[in-house]
Amino acid sequence: MAKIIVVTSGKGGVGKTTSAAAIATGLALRGNKTVVIDFDVGLRNLDLIMGCERRVVYDLINVIQGEAGLNQAMIRDKRVDNLHILPASQTRDKDALTEEGVERVLGSLSEEFDYIICDSPAGIERGAQLAMHFADEAVVVTNPEVSSVRDSDRILGLLSSKTRRAEKNQEPIKEHLLITRYDPMRVDSGDMLNLQDIQEILAINLIGLIPESEAVLRASNQGVPVTHDQQSDAGQAYVDTVSRLLGEDVPLRFHEAQKKGFLSRMFGGGRR
């Protein structure tokens, strides 16, 4: 049976879809048969991040409504053989998602895959709740700013009360915190919340810290998950995140401002 992991956030624009793509790619690169599902019906972006937008013929809603089979709708990743993408519909309404339909799709996928990554839409509406409803684990993505952290706290409330595990009084969903767009220099100057403040507010296990990096935008524009760019700090941070998700003890990096040497101060140079 597959492990179902929802990647979720309260606030939009925090890097949730980027993170879902990066985590799914990292798991597949480690030899796990992985599928990542876009639940953002009407506003799909996962196919762009994964670089397969031109290959979409059928989508999640087509499968739920019996208009296509899973094998027809799933797209095999071009770079990693054991990674698949199930895109969202760009034209349907979120009401087309049903609990029974989602359960049926996840049940079928669970027989074939090791990991199912659910890329949730931001917020607390129906698509977001269905994306998290059947999850075994949750990666809550937040930026180091007050509004993002507050909205993440709201998501934690839903994870503990509005999921199948909560309804059936089962072991709670395992919650992980992923902080994105972290800039230690701005933290030091007081422009961002620091790591300790975020952890104290949300009180869940920190699984990853992704630094502010040009590599993320570059990867998104190229349709290549940033995990493939292991020369960049962001790519390395996502690799670390996946390792922790798999239960490995990996030291935290990129949380302290780097002191520039003489040549860097003279000639500049930004992060990749």
Side-chain angles (χ1 to χ4, degrees):
M1 289 292 285
K3 182 172 287 186
I4 302 173
I5 302 175
V6 62
V7 180
T8 183
S9 69
K11 193 172 184 290
V14 299
K16 177 181 43 53
T17 297
T18 295
S19 296
I23 289 170
T25 299
L27 288 168
L29 286 170
R30 294 287 297 269
N32 300 286
K33 193 169 184 184
T34 305
V35 58
V36 55
I37 307 174
D38 191 346
F39 275 83
D40 201 354
V41 176
L43 292 171
R44 76 178 186 216
N45 282 308
L46 180 66
D47 56 316
L48 289 171
I49 301 290
M50 301 293 292
C52 63
E53 68 277 6
R54 295 182 181 178
R55 296 162 62 199
V56 176
V57 178
Y58 295 109
D59 55 56
L60 174 61
I61 300 301
N62 292 136
V63 176
I64 286 176
Q65 297 190 343
E67 299 162 352
L70 267 173
N71 289 332
Q72 291 176 283
M74 280 194 300
I75 301 168
R76 184 187 293 272
D77 187 73
K78 292 180 287 189
R79 302 168 190 86
V80 188
D81 283 344
N82 56 345
L83 176 62
H84 290 73
I85 302 97
L86 182 55
S89 171
Q90 206 167 16
T91 57
R92 305 289 185 94
D93 188 86
K94 287 180 172 62
D95 290 337
L97 280 175
T98 64
E99 185 174 320
E100 297 76 15
V102 171
E103 183 175 20
R104 188 171 64 251
V105 168
L106 293 177
S108 296
L109 292 173
S110 290
E111 297 174 3
E112 184 179 353
F113 289 89
D114 299 313
Y115 285 92
I116 300 171
I117 307 300
C118 300
D119 177 25
S120 168
I124 58 174
E125 44 71 45
R126 180 170 181 78
Q129 292 194 24
L130 282 175
M132 70 173 66
H133 188 77
F134 299 98
D136 301 307
E137 300 188 23
V139 175
V140 180
V141 184
T142 190
N143 290 158
E145 58 181 64
V146 173
S147 62
S148 180
V149 173
R150 182 187 63 184
D151 289 351
S152 294
D153 206 21
R154 174 76 171 119
I155 292 297
L156 292 175
L158 292 178
L159 288 168
S160 64
S161 62
K162 293 284 190 180
T163 61
R164 182 171 61 175
R165 284 176 174 264
E167 290 171 357
K168 295 190 174 183
N169 202 28
Q170 296 174 339
E171 183 179 348
I173 288 175
K174 190 174 183 181
E175 299 161 341
H176 308 283
L177 174 63
L178 179 64
I179 302 173
T180 56
R181 304 192 67 178
Y182 195 81
D183 186 335
M185 294 184 68
R186 293 185 65 191
V187 170
D188 289 347
S189 65
D191 293 335
M192 284 183 171
L193 292 175
N194 64 40
L195 198 55
Q196 291 72 30
D197 288 340
I198 299 169
Q199 288 179 286
E200 282 181 19
I201 293 168
L202 298 178
I204 59 173
N205 175 57
L206 179 68
I207 200 168
L209 182 71
I210 313 300
E212 181 75 84
S213 175
E214 294 174 3
V216 174
L217 179 60
R218 182 170 62 247
S220 296
N221 287 337
Q222 293 174 349
V224 181
V226 72
T227 314
H228 287 292
D229 184 5
Q230 295 188 18
Q231 298 301 310
S232 70
D233 48 5
Q236 293 168 29
Y238 275 115
V239 169
D240 289 353
T241 299
V242 169
S243 295
R244 296 188 194 100
L245 200 59
L246 292 171
E248 299 172 16
D249 186 12
V250 180
L252 191 67
R253 297 191 279 175
F254 312 116
H255 62 288
E256 295 179 343
Q258 297 296 310
K259 293 181 180 178
K260 290 188 176 182
F262 175 75
L263 291 177
S264 293
R265 290 197 302 271
M266 287 291 291
F267 300 106
R271 299 179 197 171
R272 290 198 64 232

